[in-house]
Amino acid sequence: MEVAKIYASSGRLFASYFFFRGTGDRSTMNRFVVTLASQLLGAIPATEPLIEAAVRREPGVVTGDASLATQLDLLILSPFQAVVGHGALAETLANGPFLIVVDGLDECEDKQGVEEFIDHMLNFFEEHPNIPLRVFIASRVEQHIRGRLETDGVQLGNLNSHSARKDIERFLQASFQIAEKRDRVIRAYIQRRGPWPTQLDMNKLIDHINGSFVLASTMFKYIAL
């Protein structure tokens, strides 16, 4: 996801997780928190001794015998709070809060676990409104998800209302410019015949693509590569 890449480049990606239906642990909450915690170690090394201490005190947080809420508290939230409280992240946080990205939450088949995760995070942010941490959730509209997120403190966005036409046009323009620089045949054609593709052909191509980045990439490769 592009959001995760942006935050990773600034050093503020706390962790990311992508659910995928029908793929074992990727479609349940079984390894969700442990995976986030392993990424947290890489993003904020200062949390390592805190997480190790939590595991020694409560081994169930990694064996699956502890509740999801307990896992979140001991492996994620408490270590982060402690490090922030010591001021170790002041320089990084000058650019903004850390971010947890959860993509495809609707693909998780454990609806009860999803509800527990959302409820626990909402309670945490209500108790700690100034914590420099945000959670970005990408999901299809599912009642057990949306019903819990329609509350104060949550900003909902509907991507279906966003037109991708301008984004696709920028993608194609940049792609064709790169192709021109790399291919002397294309450069020679443009020198003799003018812009390629023409704006009329570009508009027809964008109309045919109809908002699909996958189709835009496929069509460009077919045309220029």
Side-chain angles (χ1 to χ4, degrees):
M1 176 181 284
E2 193 64 27
V3 173
K5 292 180 182 179
I6 293 172
Y7 272 76
S9 66
S10 67
R12 293 185 291 124
L13 180 64
F14 186 109
S16 63
Y17 195 92
F18 305 90
F19 287 101
F20 194 68
R21 194 183 306 274
T23 55
D25 287 340
R26 298 296 275 181
S27 62
T28 71
M29 301 296 286
N30 291 345
R31 303 292 299 172
F32 173 59
V33 179
V34 173
T35 302
L36 295 185
S38 67
Q39 294 182 47
L40 174 59
L41 291 174
I44 309 176
T47 60
E48 182 174 356
L50 302 170
I51 293 176
E52 289 179 346
V55 173
R56 287 194 297 269
R57 291 195 311 271
E58 184 62 61
V61 294
V62 293
T63 62
D65 296 323
S67 68
L68 183 66
T70 299
Q71 287 183 303
L72 286 168
D73 284 337
L74 296 184
L75 297 180
I76 302 295
L77 302 176
S78 293
F80 181 72
Q81 282 181 284
V83 172
V84 170
H86 292 154
L89 304 175
E91 184 175 346
T92 303
L93 290 172
N95 296 318
F98 276 80
L99 185 73
I100 297 175
V101 175
V102 182
D103 195 6
L105 189 58
D106 58 294
E107 296 282 316
C108 180
E109 297 167 353
D110 181 5
K111 291 186 177 182
Q112 183 176 345
V114 169
E115 293 172 351
E116 185 178 356
F117 164 65
I118 294 174
D119 289 343
H120 192 72
M121 295 306 297
L122 289 176
N123 290 336
F124 172 77
F125 285 116
E126 185 175 354
E127 295 175 6
H128 307 280
N130 297 321
I131 194 78
L133 177 64
R134 302 291 183 270
V135 179
F136 183 96
I137 295 175
S139 171
R140 295 185 183 90
V141 179
E142 298 283 351
Q143 184 54 39
H144 69 288
I145 297 174
R146 188 178 183 90
R148 279 176 155 72
L149 292 177
E150 290 180 330
T151 183
D152 293 340
V154 176
Q155 183 175 340
L156 297 176
N158 182 3
L159 293 182
N160 289 331
S161 63
H162 171 73
S163 173
R165 184 181 180 87
K166 287 294 184 182
D167 294 332
I168 287 177
E169 183 176 5
R170 284 193 288 267
F171 164 75
L172 289 174
Q173 287 174 341
S175 298
F176 281 116
Q177 287 172 2
I178 292 173
E180 176 188 344
K181 292 178 181 178
R182 293 178 176 175
D183 194 316
R184 63 181 182 180
V185 175
I186 295 176
R187 291 199 302 273
Y189 177 90
I190 292 174
Q191 288 173 358
R192 296 186 63 181
R193 300 291 186 89
W196 177 84
T198 65
Q199 189 59 51
L200 178 61
D201 288 338
M202 178 71 84
N203 291 339
K204 289 180 179 179
L205 181 60
I206 294 171
D207 288 340
H208 179 74
I209 288 169
N210 195 28
S212 171
F213 270 95
V214 173
L215 183 56
S217 177
T218 302
M219 293 291 289
F220 168 73
K221 291 176 182 178
Y222 178 79
I223 295 169
L225 300 182

